[in-house]
């Protein structure tokens, strides 16, 4: 969201390590405009994370709506130990885990990731093959590895931010990425007879 669309007093300071901290504090104090600005700033990314983790746009919409509703009560629990965005992404990842525990089927995830892979028209058949293969392999990864790949590779979080969001050590994130690469490489070699 452009800065000009933010409510007065919500523009981040250039040297502010967390440009959302002020908004979160004001939202926790009950300022509705600050809460709305915070959601506007992060809603699309929260939805994208939920979609990638569940594989379903409908499920992602439901999950993010639930998170937004719960956030009205939970914003006061933000302690500033991580960036507000990292904290939010962790809440979304946890909500997705809960969704999976409630019975989301893996086949829906695979179907959703296939849809994601096809959102942009590839320039040629090789690119389509790579995207389809990657989406399929991502769906086969263990949920912890998949969450890590989505947050670090898909959303550009640092290892430390992803660790905070997922509630694990930064070194665990590094190991998970290494393991995901290893599994993807092995799977690719198996399919291509290498």
């Amino acid at each position: 969201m452009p800065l000009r669309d933010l409510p007065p007093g919500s523009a981040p300071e250039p040297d502010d390590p967390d440009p959302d901290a002020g908004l979160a504090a004001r939202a926790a104090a009950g300022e509705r405009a600050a809460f709305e600005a915070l959601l506007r700033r992060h809603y699309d990314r929260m939805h994208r994370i939920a979609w990638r983790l569940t594989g379903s746009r409908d499920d992602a919409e439901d999950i993010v709506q639930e998170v937004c509703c719960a956030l009205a009560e939970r914003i006061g629990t933000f302690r500033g130990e991580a960036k507000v965005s990292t904290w939010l992404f962790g809440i979304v990842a946890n909500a997705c885990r809960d969704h999976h525990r409630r019975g989301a089927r893996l086949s829906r995830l695979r179907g959703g990731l296939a849809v994601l892979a096809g959102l942009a028209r590839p320039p040629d058949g090789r690119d389509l093959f790579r995207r389809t293969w990657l989406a399929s392999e991502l769906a086969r990864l263990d949920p912890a590895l998949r969450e890590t790949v989505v947050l670090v590779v898909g959303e550009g979080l640092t290892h430390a931010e992803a660790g905070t969001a997922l509630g694990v050590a930064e070194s665990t994130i590094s190991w998970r990425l290494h393991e995901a690469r290893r599994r993807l490489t092995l799977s690719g070699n198996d399919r291509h007879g290498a």
Side-chain angles (χ1 to χ4, degrees), residues 1-149:
M1 176 171 70
L3 291 178
R4 67 179 180 278
D5 294 339
L6 294 175
S10 62
E13 296 296 321
D15 296 329
D16 189 358
D18 186 355
D20 299 315
L23 277 177
R26 291 180 16 232
E31 187 178 318
R32 183 178 178 165
F35 183 76
E36 289 174 2
L38 193 61
L39 289 182
R40 270 196 310 271
R41 202 180 270 183
H42 296 289
Y43 186 89
D44 289 343
R45 201 163 174 200
M46 291 165 52
H47 184 273
R48 190 170 55 238
I49 289 169
W51 188 354
R52 288 177 173 170
L53 291 177
T54 63
S56 165
R57 182 173 50 183
D58 292 336
D59 289 344
E61 288 173 5
D62 291 344
I63 288 168
V64 175
Q65 286 300 317
E66 289 174 19
V67 167
C68 289
C69 291
L71 193 58
E73 295 176 13
R74 293 183 69 181
I75 192 71
T77 66
F78 176 70
R79 295 185 302 255
E81 295 170 352
K83 286 184 175 181
V84 173
S85 58
T86 302
W87 180 70
L88 287 172
F89 303 152
I91 292 172
V92 171
N94 283 332
C96 290
R97 283 187 205 124
D98 292 343
H99 172 76
H100 284 297
R101 278 187 221 118
R102 288 189 305 253
R105 297 185 329 241
L106 186 57
S107 62
R108 288 181 69 191
L109 176 65
R110 287 184 180 142
L113 286 173
V115 169
L116 274 177
L119 284 178
R121 296 200 65 94
D124 64 23
R126 292 174 299 200
D127 190 46
L128 176 60
F129 172 78
R130 281 187 217 107
R131 292 180 124 191
T132 303
W133 174 83
L134 184 57
S136 174
E137 293 306 310
L138 187 60
R140 288 188 185 128
L141 289 176
D142 298 332
L145 297 178
R146 184 173 46 252
E147 291 170 350
T148 302
V149 170

